[in-house]
């Protein structure tokens, strides 16, 4: 990292710089240090949150999901102690596993504001490191699509099984075929409900207008690969397009992601949503129980993915027709889950 150009973090309309610190190896993740930038709240009122005046001074409440408490507490309580000492405040944190509010109290408003700002920066940093828990999806697991997918799998294994790395374990579970629009980290029921409410507002604000209140008829046809070299393929996906040739599906996807990013519930990964349905993924090879969804980030918990040679598959199945499907709902799908149909359990949908 260039010390003269440190990375910037934007929270609540303000910009903070992340200072370079000495990296240390601990068995568990350790806290990081941050310093506010030119818009520092320490010496001026901050309207990004509410600071109440009490008989003993000032107080501010922060809603924090319980899995993130440990990052405010730090190793052996060191982060919390340092925050309290440097800002001259007292920070009250609920017991582990108990949902509630972190309460910051102090005699001086500037100290309370400073503590709150630093907590927000810490939480923002560590939230980004959490594995995603939910994702927005269109289900593509209709019986006709599943049947064609199984035909595709059978023919690939029949014609290309001798190609390097190709095996039956690479294929998606047909009951979980889907389009991923974007991933979310939702750490408690309140955040899940917030996402569900936003999804319904999106339906009212623009989805119904784009779709005319009718299902979108799409065709799933042809295959393509994610990386640059088809001989070293990690993800092979089926292409999806509107049957009428319009861009309405792309519009719905892009505007949903834009709205969720603006709300802070989702991180922006792409300028446009890449509409694709994963059919083969080398992540599946490593562990049959591995979540078969995260093709957008391509991250794996394993040291190395074993790629496969997809050249023959791409040549032989370039125009394979998986079928036509009516898309009538967007799901807030829960990772590592299944419902009665075999698809991901749904926390909410529009």
């Amino acid at each position: 990292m260039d010390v003269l150009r440190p990375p910037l973090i934007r929270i609540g309309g303000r910009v903070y710089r992340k200072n370079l610190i000495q990296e240390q190896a601990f068995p568990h993740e350790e806290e990081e240090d941050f310093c506010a930038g030119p818009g520092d709240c320490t010496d001026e009122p901050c309207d990004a949150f509410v600071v109440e005046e009490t008989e003993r001074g000032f107080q501010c409440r922060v809603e924090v999901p319980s899995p993130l408490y440990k990052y405010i507490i730090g190793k052996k309580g060191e982060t919390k102690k340092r925050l309290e000492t440097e800002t001259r405040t007292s920070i009250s944190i609920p017991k582990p596993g108990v949902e509630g509010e972190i309460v910051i109290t102090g005699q001086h408003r500037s100290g309370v504001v400073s503590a709150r700002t630093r907590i927000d920066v810490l939480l923002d940093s560590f939230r980004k490191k959490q594995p995603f828990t939910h994702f927005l999806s269109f289900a593509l697991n209709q019986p006709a699509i599943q049947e064609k997918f199984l035909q595709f799998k059978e023919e690939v294994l029949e014609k290309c099984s001798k190609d390097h790395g190709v095996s039956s374990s690479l294929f998606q579970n047909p009951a979980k075929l889907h389009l991923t629009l974007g991933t979310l980290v939702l750490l408690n029921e309140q955040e899940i409900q917030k996402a569900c409410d936003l999804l319904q507002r999106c339906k009212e604000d623009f989805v119904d207008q784009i779709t005319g209140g009718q299902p979108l008829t799409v065709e799933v046809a042809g295959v393509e690969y994610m990386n640059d070299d088809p001989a070293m393929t990690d993800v092979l996906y089926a292409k999806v397009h509107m049957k009428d040739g319009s861009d309405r599906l792309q519009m719905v996807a892009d505007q949903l992601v834009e709205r969720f990013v603006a709300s802070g519930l989702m991180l922006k990964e792409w300028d446009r949503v890449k509409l694709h349905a994963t059919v083969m993924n080398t992540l599946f090879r490593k562990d049959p129980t591995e979540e078969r969804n995260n093709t957008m980030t391509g991250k794996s918990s394993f040291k190395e993915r074993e790629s496969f040679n997809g050249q023959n598959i791409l040549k032989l199945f370039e125009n394979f027709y998986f079928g036509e499907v009516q898309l009538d709902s967007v799901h807030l799908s829960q990772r590592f889950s299944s419902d009665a149909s075999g698809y991901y359990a749904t926390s909410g949908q529009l």
Side-chain angles (χ1 to χ4, degrees):
M1 180 179 74
D2 186 344
V3 295
L4 297 179
R5 296 181 177 84
L8 302 179
I9 299 176
R10 291 173 173 80
I11 299 178
R14 291 176 178 269
V15 180
Y16 304 92
R17 64 178 181 270
K18 178 180 176 182
N19 283 350
L20 178 66
I21 61 170
Q22 182 68 37
E23 296 289 343
Q24 301 182 57
F26 292 105
H28 304 289
E29 270 186 325
E30 185 56 55
E31 69 275 1
E32 298 183 51
D33 287 333
F34 296 89
C35 180
D40 194 343
C41 287
T42 304
D43 299 315
E44 61 182 72
C46 182
D47 56 7
F49 42 80
V50 176
V51 178
E52 303 170 327
E53 188 169 3
T54 66
E55 294 180 356
R56 298 184 178 182
F58 296 87
Q59 174 180 281
C60 183
R61 297 177 177 273
V62 193
E63 289 189 6
V64 179
S66 59
L68 297 181
Y69 293 165
K70 62 184 178 181
Y71 300 118
I72 306 304
I73 297 171
K75 186 179 181 181
K76 297 181 180 180
E78 292 175 359
T79 302
K80 177 175 177 290
K81 291 175 185 176
R82 187 174 70 247
L83 284 171
E84 290 176 323
T85 300
E86 294 180 358
T87 61
R88 297 182 181 180
T89 59
S90 175
I91 301 172
S92 175
I93 302 175
K95 294 180 179 179
V98 177
E99 296 297 336
E101 295 178 319
I102 290 179
V103 181
I104 307 166
T105 56
Q107 293 184 352
H108 303 285
R109 177 185 172 87
S110 60
V112 172
V113 169
S114 178
R116 168 62 190 265
T117 301
R118 293 177 65 174
I119 286 175
D120 282 347
V121 174
L122 280 171
L123 292 175
D124 182 73
S125 173
F126 284 109
R127 177 180 283 276
K128 291 176 180 176
K129 297 180 180 180
Q130 303 300 308
F132 75 88
T133 60
H134 295 73
F135 56 99
L136 295 182
S137 72
F138 284 108
L140 296 177
N141 64 344
Q142 291 75 4
I145 299 291
Q146 289 196 48
E147 183 177 346
K148 291 292 289 185
F149 170 77
L150 291 173
Q151 178 188 332
F152 167 79
K153 177 180 178 180
E154 181 180 349
E155 292 184 11
V156 168
L157 292 175
E158 178 183 336
K159 299 175 182 179
C160 307
S161 61
K162 294 183 179 180
D163 294 346
H164 175 76
V166 174
S167 72
S168 61
S169 67
L170 298 180
F171 291 84
Q172 174 67 283
N173 177 346
K176 292 192 171 181
L177 288 166
H178 66 278
L179 298 177
T180 298
L181 305 186
T183 59
L184 306 94
V185 176
L186 306 176
L187 299 177
N188 58 21
E189 290 300 321
Q190 290 86 349
E191 293 188 345
I192 293 173
Q193 187 58 52
K194 182 179 178 182
C196 291
D197 293 343
L198 179 57
L199 202 54
Q200 290 305 314
R201 289 199 298 275
C202 289
K203 173 179 171 62
E204 299 166 3
D205 291 348
F206 60 84
V207 173
D208 282 347
Q209 181 179 353
I210 295 173
T211 64
Q214 299 297 317
L216 297 176
T217 303
V218 303
E219 290 184 317
V220 185
V223 293
E224 190 56 87
Y225 61 105
M226 280 287 188
N227 51 307
D228 297 328
D229 184 359
M232 297 289 289
T233 299
D234 282 321
V235 176
L236 191 79
Y237 63 91
K239 295 182 286 187
V240 180
H241 61 269
M242 287 289 298
K243 187 176 181 179
D244 64 8
S246 72
D247 62 350
R248 289 185 295 155
L249 177 60
Q250 187 71 55
M251 290 173 62
V252 169
D254 288 343
Q255 291 190 37
L256 279 170
V257 169
E258 182 180 346
R259 186 67 64 89
F260 271 77
V261 168
S263 74
L265 289 171
M266 186 181 290
L267 295 177
K268 186 178 179 67
E269 295 184 89
W270 317 98
D271 291 332
R272 299 185 75 201
V273 175
K274 186 176 182 64
L275 295 170
H276 68 282
T278 297
V279 293
M280 297 175 70
N281 191 331
T282 55
L283 286 180
F284 305 165
R285 183 205 311 281
K286 294 295 186 180
D287 181 357
T289 64
E290 175 71 14
E291 175 62 35
R292 302 190 169 202
N293 170 71
N294 196 13
T295 61
M296 298 189 73
T297 61
K299 294 180 179 177
S300 171
S301 58
F302 299 89
K303 292 182 180 179
E304 187 175 352
R305 297 168 69 167
E306 181 188 350
S307 301
F308 66 94
N309 188 341
Q311 289 175 308
N312 285 331
I313 299 175
L314 289 162
K315 183 178 179 180
L316 296 172
F317 300 93
E318 179 182 6
N319 298 310
F320 187 89
Y321 188 72
F322 291 91
E324 178 182 307
V325 62
Q326 304 281 322
L327 300 181
D328 58 4
S329 61
V330 178
H331 299 263
L332 177 61
S333 299
Q334 183 179 334
R335 195 181 184 189
F336 302 126
S337 69
S338 297
D339 62 16
S341 73
Y343 194 65
Y344 301 93
T346 298
S347 298
Q349 68 182 72
L350 63 78

